Amino acid sequence: MSILADHSFTAAWNCLKRPVWLYDPQTGRKPYANPAALALFGAAGLEALAARNFSARSPAIKARIRRLVDQTADGRTVRERWTFFPHGHPVTAEATVSAVRDDAGHVLLLFEAAPEDVPAEDRRAAEALRHASTIISLFDGEGRRLFSNPAAFRAYGDLEDDFAGRFAEPAEGLAMLAAAARAPVAGLRAVVTRHGGRWHHMDARSVPDPVTGRPCVLLNEQDVTPRVEAELARSAAEQKATMADARQRFLTDMSHELRTPLNAVIGFSRLLSSAGLAEESTDQARRIHAAGQDLLEVVNRMIEDPMGEATAPDAAPAASEVMVASEPEPADGPEPSEMPLRTLYVDDNESNRTLVRTMLATMGIVCETADDGHAGVLAAAAGDWDVILMDIQMPVMDGVEATRRIRALDGAVAATPIIALTANTLDAQIHTYVEAGMDDCVAKPVNMVELITKTSHWGRSGWREAVMGDSVLASA
C-alpha cells in the first residue's frame, strides 16, 4: 500500500504544511499520508501508519464514513470537523474531504486537515452529539437539512436531507414543520427509514441558526417502535378477548332464550304423544314434537357455526369433565323394596319445572322445585334429597354459585349429586360447572330418557354410604 507514496500526485502533497492523507473505507487503513499528517498521527513513517487499522469502531463513526462515501461519490467536497486520537491524545481539525480512485479503481477518501484550537467544552459537546443514539437534525424554514448527527444518517440514509421525506405521510411532515415554526410540537409519528417503516417520537421546535441567525427547526427523534408494537399487540389481544367474551355472552343468551321454550315444546309434545289421546291428537302431538326437533337442529347449527366448535346438546366433552350423553339406554325402574327417589329441581322457568316434574313422575320419582339459586340453596339445606337438578341462568343467584354454596354446607347434604340442566353446553361452560362441583349435565331441550337415566344413576349411586364410610374412617 505504500506504493502510493511514489505516485505523481503525492509529490505536491508532500510539500504542504497542512496534513493530507488518504483513507480506504473498505480496509480502514491509510495508504498515504504526507509528513504533516504523519506528525499529526504520531507515526514514524508511512509504513508504520499503513500498518495501523483505523477501522471505525463505533456506530457513529461508521455512519459518518458511509455518509462521506455517499456525499463525495459525485465529485462533491465535504467540510467537517473531526477529532482524532493518535496514541490516545485528542486532536481536533477542520477536514475537507473528497473522493479519489487509486490505480486499481478503488475509491479512497482524501482528507485535507487544518488543526483547530477548539475549546474543551465545544469539543465534548460535538463528540457527544455525534455519538448520541438520539436522532438530531437542524432544518431551514423550507425543510432542507442544515445539519444532522450520524444517528440520523444511520436511520434515514439519503432520506435525511428532507424534513417531510422522513414521514410515512409527507403531508403530516409539512404540517409539523409549519407548526414547529410557531410553537414546540411533539408526538408519535410513522416514518420511513432505510430499514423500513418505524415509529418515532418526534420533538420539533424553532431555534435560530447559529451561522446565519435565521429561524430554523431543531428536530429530535427517538425510535420507539418496539414499545409501540408491543402496545399495539396488547391492544389487539385485548380487543380479540373482548370480542370473544361478547360472542360468548351472545351465544349463551341465544342458547338460553331459544332452547328454553323449545324445551317445553319438545318435552310436553312427547308426553302428549304417549298419553293415550285420540289417534288424531296423538298424531298432532307427534308432528309438534318432530317440528320442535327440527327447529332445535337449526338452533344448534346457528350456535355451533360462529364458535367453530361443537355446541349441540349431545356433544361429549373430555372424560375428565361432565359427560353429556345424547341417547342413553333407559334406566331400570326402582325395585319394589326401594323408596322413591327424591329430587330437587331448581329453575326459574315455570314451564321447565312442570315439564321435568311430569317426566320424572312417569318413573315414580318425586320432584320438588325452587325458582332461583338462593331458594335452591335453602331447600337443599332443609331437605333430604337424593339428587339436585340445577338450572344455570337464573335471577337472584345462578346455578354455578348455588352449587358452590351447597358444596360449602355442613353434613352429608354437601355431597348430594348435582346435575346441571341447561341450554349452555359449550366446552368452557361445562368446565365451569365441573369446577363449581357439579357431577353431570343434561342439555336442554331435555331428553326424557337421558334425564331419567342420569337421575336414577346418581340417586342410587351409593353416595350416602360413601359419605358415612368417610365419616367412620375420620373418627376412627
Side-chain angles (χ1 to χ4, degrees), residues 166-190:
R166 298 184 179 188
F167 290 72
E169 295 292 338
E172 189 176 24
L174 292 174
M176 188 175 199
L177 180 67
R182 299 187 297 269
V185 181
L188 188 66
R189 299 292 189 272

Side-chain angles (χ1 to χ4, degrees), residues 445-459:
V446 173
N447 180 294
M448 182 173 174
V449 174
E450 181 185 9
L451 172 67
I452 293 172
T453 298
K454 289 190 174 182
T455 301
S456 299
H457 167 75
W458 287 105

Side-chain angles (χ1 to χ4, degrees), residues 182-308:
R182 299 187 297 269
V185 181
L188 188 66
R189 299 292 189 272
V191 300
V192 180
T193 72
R194 65 197 307 174
H195 308 295
R198 305 290 290 177
W199 289 98
H200 283 188
H201 182 273
M202 292 183 162
D203 182 298
R205 59 192 61 222
S206 178
V207 298
D209 184 345
V211 176
T212 66
R214 295 172 182 169
C216 53
V217 173
L218 176 65
L219 179 64
N220 292 278
E221 303 175 58
Q222 284 280 2
D223 190 331
V224 293
T225 304
R227 188 173 69 190
V228 172
E229 290 180 344
E231 179 63 23
L232 291 174
R234 184 190 65 80
S235 178
E238 287 182 352
Q239 183 179 19
K240 184 177 180 180
T242 299
M243 292 176 64
D245 289 343
R247 183 165 57 247
Q248 177 84 3
R249 288 194 299 270
F250 170 76
L251 292 174
T252 296
D253 292 342
M254 177 182 288
S255 176
H256 183 268
E257 296 301 324
L258 294 178
R259 285 172 173 165
T260 295
L262 276 175
N263 184 51
V265 172
I266 294 173
F268 281 117
S269 62
R270 176 166 183 166
L271 290 174
L272 288 173
S273 64
S274 305
L277 301 176
E279 183 177 351
E280 183 178 359
S281 298
T282 299
D283 182 65
Q284 291 172 347
R286 287 173 179 168
R287 289 177 183 274
I288 293 173
H289 183 77
Q293 292 285 6
D294 291 342
L295 182 56
L296 174 62
E297 184 177 348
V298 173
V299 170
N300 289 340
R301 285 200 302 268
M302 287 172 57
I303 296 174
E304 176 180 347
D305 290 343
M307 293 300 294

Side-chain angles (χ1 to χ4, degrees), residues 76-96:
R76 283 183 293 168
T77 298
V78 178
R79 294 186 64 185
E80 288 188 343
R81 178 180 291 171
W82 282 76
T83 298
F84 305 102
F85 296 87
H87 302 297
H89 179 69
V91 176
T92 301
E94 181 76 19
T96 301

